[in-house]
Amino acid sequence: AQRVTQPEKLLSVFKGAPVELKCNYSYSGSPELFWYVQYSRQRLQLLLRHISRESIKGFTADLNKGETSFHLKKPFAQEEDSAMYYCALSGPTITQGGSEKLVFGKGTKLTVNP
Amino acid sequence: NAGVTQTPKFRILKIGQSMTLQCAQDMNHNYMYWYRQDPGMGLKLIYYSVGAGITDKGEVPNGYNVSRSTTEDFPLRLELAAPSQTSVYFCASAGQADYGYTFGSGTRLTVV
């Protein structure tokens, strides 16, 4: 079964400190992994996808298949990074017999203090 | 380009009442989804659709119904509202070759 675990409900850091939001997954195949962000009173937005290997707003995430992890990192947190972060996993595509569904973790609320 | 539009933004229902949450997208996306977001529980998939005329159950479909008569619209129906359906509901869509979801702004529903 596909499962995404975000072990920290809450994470608090000071401005300028490094931040790491943890995400572990359970999936037997080759997953597509994502990070979504939800700022206060806003809709969820795609932050980054592992397949694109890009850095958005200074955040990066590396897929570690050996540890089945996809932790989100930023070297210097900013106050505007305060938000709810969701890790998500996509299983097989339609052409692979799947259905293009995302499974979300329970989320981590990041607070960056001044 | 409006993206994904959800209406209403807020609604209070009495137990046993019915309502339809509307969701429309203008990106010609094939895939559409309904999630509910409960505090501390993340997002749970209610129903999804891979194209007009095709719908399927997600993780928590009980008490809900959907239809997909057009590519653009994917309404979610609550027939007999219960307090357990108090939640924030998000609609999302995705293109066929696109793994990123576009989310609506959500509907906050309270059942009293």
Side-chain angles (χ1 to χ4, degrees), chain B residues 13-94:
Chain B
L13 277 184
K14 292 185 178 178
I15 294 171
Q17 286 186 319
S18 302
M19 77 163 295
T20 300
L21 282 67
Q22 301 291 345
C23 176
Q25 53 92 8
D26 60 359
M27 297 170 285
N28 202 32
H29 282 171
N30 284 320
Y31 305 132
M32 295 188 75
Y33 310 84
W34 274 105
Y35 284 89
R36 58 178 288 172
Q37 182 185 41
D38 300 312
M41 299 301 291
L43 286 91
K44 295 191 174 180
L45 183 64
I46 305 171
Y47 269 96
Y48 66 100
S49 169
V50 300
I54 307 169
T55 63
D56 209 344
K57 296 177 181 178
E59 184 183 358
V60 289
N62 291 343
Y64 307 95
N65 235 316
V66 293
S67 60
R68 186 95 183 270
S69 56
T70 66
T71 300
E72 295 77 21
D73 300 298
F74 191 42
L76 177 72
R77 178 88 179 154
L78 283 73
E79 289 295 348
L80 292 168
S84 61
Q85 294 178 303
T86 294
S87 188
V88 180
Y89 291 83
F90 286 100
C91 178
S93 73

Side-chain angles (χ1 to χ4, degrees), chain A residues 8-29:
Chain A
E8 303 141 327
K9 280 190 177 180
L10 304 170
L11 183 61
S12 183
V13 301
F14 286 102
K15 177 182 173 181
V19 63
E20 180 180 66
L21 291 90
K22 292 185 168 51
C23 172
N24 289 90
Y25 66 90
S26 173
Y27 181 61
S28 57

Side-chain angles (χ1 to χ4, degrees), chain A residues 46-112:
Chain A
L46 178 64
L47 182 61
L48 55 80
R49 302 165 46 190
H50 96 268
I51 197 170
S52 57
R53 301 190 67 80
E54 56 197 345
S55 172
I56 304 293
K57 299 185 179 183
F59 284 98
T60 59
D62 289 319
L63 177 61
N64 186 324
K65 290 187 177 181
E67 295 183 357
T68 59
S69 68
F70 189 56
H71 303 327
L72 184 69
K73 300 177 184 179
K74 185 169 183 177
F76 307 104
Q78 303 299 314
E79 288 180 68
E80 55 264 30
D81 295 328
S82 295
M84 196 75 182
Y85 291 81
Y86 291 96
C87 183
L89 176 153
S90 175
T93 63
I94 289 280
T95 54
Q96 296 166 335
S99 58
E100 312 274 5
K101 293 181 291 184
L102 280 182
V103 174
F104 286 85
K106 294 184 178 182
T108 297
K109 184 175 182 180
L110 174 65
T111 301
V112 181

